[in-house]
Amino acid sequence: MMKERKVSFSGIQPSGELHLGNYLGALRHWPTFQEKYDCVYCVVDAHAITVRQDPAKLRRSTLELYAQLIACGIDPEKSILFVQSQVPAHAELAWILNCYTMFGELSRMTQFKDKSARNADNINAGLFTYPSLMAADILLYQTDVVPVGEDQRQHVELARDIVKRFNGVYGDVFTEPEAVIPKFGARVMSLNNPESKMSKSMPEGCVFVMEKPEDIMRKFKRAVTDSDTENCVCYDRAAKPGVATLMDIYSACTGRSFEAIEAEFAGQGYGAFKPKVGEAVVELLRPVREETQRLLADKAYLESVYRAGAEKAAHVAERTLRKVQKKVGFLAR
Ligand code: TRP
């Protein structure tokens, strides 16, 4: 890759279905990076198997997510868009980086602690070394910026520490990446439990990108508001978390301020407000859903795109990998 522009690397796991929180908080903004950076987008199926997956479902979700990224506006001609397991350099570099990552560092990762508490019967080595694979993803492309949510900051910091350690011994091999935590990453809360983040584990409060409009409408009509008899559409996150959640979503879909929304629904109450939010979400997601369905109906096209993406990725990644292999003392092929 020519280093005229900075390189941005984004990774997303194909575990389960994409929902409104993922879309509003991250995916919706991803295509805009293409204006500013040389972008690499990766569906990280190798990370997904750190927890048990149903193989047929994983294959399906990987392809669906790949199609959704295109449907959101990522241009596979302009950017590198690929599936992680199809570029072996990721696994190869991850092994080498494992030998430059400390047991203590990995033990301090909060995601590892959380996930091992939740999957007590499957605390496998892959779950533990997850951050070295993530570092390999990032470092193979000489990445400058990594747009992630707050929860991934610690992993990017670890990647930086690995770079410092490795470059300290061998010279300037890797670019030091920087996490960028976007401000727009509005946390979307659950529709039926506005104290928790929207999550696929609570499907009634979660709206999926591929969901049918009538199902989306039903979820919004049933959304928790509050028992306040005034029925007032006004923003008060502490006193009226359900209404605040709906206002957050409506604002993110329409670009309107809370004041404008309050004025729009003055004197109308929740009965009028809830279906309006539902409609705004349905219309926001419609083009993504329809384009994804269109792409998924053309398997031959999708295959040709992900093959070309893997080839482009491998070309860049192998350059870095060869350099690293030489530095650590592997015999040239
Ligand atoms: N760990 C990230 C997540 O769960 C996904 C990911 C894998 C990633 N490799 C990456 C993100 C590289 C950014 C860069 O969200």
Side-chain angles (χ1 to χ4, degrees):
M1 213 180 295
M2 306 238 286
K3 272 277 206 172
E4 280 162 19
R5 300 205 291 177
K6 288 187 170 184
V7 175
S8 161
F9 188 101
S10 310
I12 183 166
Q13 286 208 40
S15 46
E17 281 178 72
L18 205 64
H19 60 67
L20 184 65
N22 308 134
Y23 183 69
L24 290 178
L27 268 198
R28 182 193 195 183
H29 307 279
W30 280 17
T32 63
F33 306 150
Q34 297 174 119
E35 295 152 22
K36 207 169 154 200
Y37 302 112
D38 282 335
C39 290
V40 186
Y41 301 97
C42 180
V43 177
V44 295
D45 54 346
H47 276 110
I49 63 163
T50 55
V51 299
R52 280 290 169 266
Q53 302 287 341
D54 176 88
K57 272 197 200 145
L58 180 59
R59 241 186 303 276
R60 169 82 208 169
S61 323
T62 302
L63 194 64
E64 183 173 283
L65 185 53
Y66 192 89
Q68 282 172 324
L69 293 173
I70 300 174
C72 288
I74 289 167
D75 179 349
E77 298 284 326
K78 233 194 250 172
S79 302
I80 300 182
L81 172 60
F82 71 107
V83 176
Q84 190 185 29
S85 65
Q86 299 189 336
V87 179
H90 288 249
E92 296 178 70
L93 182 62
W95 172 255
I96 297 175
L97 296 184
N98 268 332
C99 304
Y100 294 82
T101 308
M102 299 301 129
F103 183 85
E105 289 176 314
L106 292 171
S107 310
R108 283 193 290 277
M109 294 294 117
T110 54
Q111 183 176 293
F112 171 70
K113 291 190 244 177
D114 291 348
K115 285 198 180 174
S116 42
R118 271 186 278 130
N119 301 282
D121 55 344
N122 185 22
I123 306 177
N124 61 73
L127 195 64
F128 188 63
T129 61
Y130 180 114
S132 359
L133 178 58
M134 181 161 159
D137 298 342
I138 297 167
L139 302 186
L140 280 170
Y141 301 88
Q142 304 294 347
T143 299
D144 299 282
V145 297
V146 188
V148 283
E150 189 56 50
D151 65 318
Q152 296 297 317
R153 183 198 289 279
Q154 200 185 22
H155 289 159
V156 180
E157 289 303 319
L158 179 58
R160 289 166 66 93
D161 292 338
I162 296 172
V163 169
K164 288 188 195 121
R165 183 171 300 135
F166 199 93
N167 286 358
V169 180
Y170 302 105
D172 275 344
V173 179
F174 296 123
T175 303
E176 208 175 297
E178 192 183 337
V180 294
I181 317 274
K183 289 175 202 61
F184 50 68
R187 288 219 309 166
V188 179
M189 307 308 277
S190 163
L191 298 185
N192 62 355
N193 185 0
E195 314 287 340
S196 331
K197 223 164 83 167
M198 182 175 279
S199 147
K200 61 183 190 291
S201 61
M202 292 182 294
E204 269 312 297
C206 181
V207 172
F208 297 99
V209 170
M210 299 305 284
E211 206 163 8
K212 290 204 284 285
E214 54 270 34
D215 293 334
I216 296 180
M217 289 305 291
R218 178 180 49 79
K219 287 181 180 175
F220 276 96
K221 286 179 189 157
R222 288 194 197 154
V224 170
T225 41
D226 57 71
S227 47
D228 165 354
T229 46
E230 274 175 55
N231 239 331
C232 167
V233 177
C234 41
Y235 202 90
D236 184 341
R237 163 77 37 209
K240 295 152 74 84
V243 178
T245 295
L246 293 173
M247 288 180 75
D248 283 338
I249 294 173
Y250 195 62
S251 170
C253 291
T254 61
R256 278 173 225 164
S257 66
F258 297 142
E259 297 74 50
I261 299 170
E262 286 169 7
E264 182 180 349
F265 294 96
Q268 291 191 55
Y270 305 150
F273 179 50
K274 292 205 274 187
K276 277 286 193 193
V277 184
E279 279 165 28
V281 169
V282 166
E283 292 318 315
L284 184 76
L285 297 181
R286 185 187 300 283
V288 180
R289 175 173 48 88
E290 289 179 353
E291 181 62 6
T292 303
Q293 281 164 342
R294 198 185 65 75
L295 289 164
L296 286 171
D298 191 350
K299 289 271 169 357
Y301 169 76
L302 269 183
E303 271 173 29
S304 72
V305 179
Y306 70 63
R307 281 203 194 109
E311 244 175 69
K312 269 209 277 186
H315 180 75
V316 180
E318 281 172 19
R319 235 180 18 221
T320 302
L321 181 66
R322 299 293 167 245
K323 207 162 152 186
V324 172
Q325 289 172 328
K326 190 170 167 197
K327 292 287 186 187
V328 302
F330 291 176
L331 198 58
R333 296 191 185 184

